[in-house]
Amino acid sequence: MRYKVVFAVGLALGYVLGTRAGRERYEELKKSARGVAQNPAVRNAAESAGQTGLHYAGKAFAVVSEKACAAVPDSLAERVRGLRDRVGAGGAGAEDDWGTSNT
C-alpha cells in the first residue's frame, strides 16, 4: 500500500512539474488535492493509519529494547541504570562523574 501511495504522489508531482498546461492546471490540481485531503473519510483513514503505526512502533521498540539489553554486558547495564536513577532523582542540574555540569 505504501508503494502505491508513493507512486501516486510521484506521478502527480511529475505531472505538475512536467505539464505544459500552465498555472491554471496547477491550481486545479491543487484544489483537487486539497479537497481529497479535507475529505472526512480520508482524514479518518490517515488518522487510523497513524495510530496503527504508533502501535506497531511501540511494539517494535519494546522488542528491540529487550534484545539490546540482553546484548549489553551486565556491568554496563548497571552503570546506565545507576546514572538513570541519579538523573531522575537529581533533575537536570545534577552534577555527573565526568567533571562537567549540566548548566
Side-chain angles (χ1 to χ4, degrees):
M1 180 67 185
R2 180 178 140 214
Y3 296 111
K4 290 179 184 179
V5 172
V6 171
F7 177 76
V9 169
L11 187 65
L13 183 62
Y15 179 78
V16 168
L17 294 176
T19 188
R20 294 179 182 249
R23 185 77 177 172
E24 297 83 21
R25 183 66 181 145
Y26 169 76
E27 292 297 331
E28 286 178 26
L29 287 170
K30 192 167 115 177
K31 183 178 177 184
S32 296
R34 188 173 294 133
V36 168
Q38 291 177 352
N39 184 337
V42 172
R43 294 179 104 170
N44 288 341
E47 184 176 330
S48 174
Q51 292 298 325
T52 302
L54 286 174
H55 173 72
Y56 284 117
K59 288 173 87 173
F61 177 76
V63 169
V64 170
S65 295
E66 284 180 25
K67 290 185 179 188
C69 287
V72 173
D74 289 336
S75 60
L76 181 61
E78 290 174 17
R79 176 74 174 149
V80 170
R81 248 184 257 113
L83 288 173
R84 189 178 295 159
D85 292 343
R86 276 202 354 235
V87 169
E95 288 286 326
D96 58 20
D97 290 354
W98 302 94
T100 60
S101 67
N102 293 330
T103 56

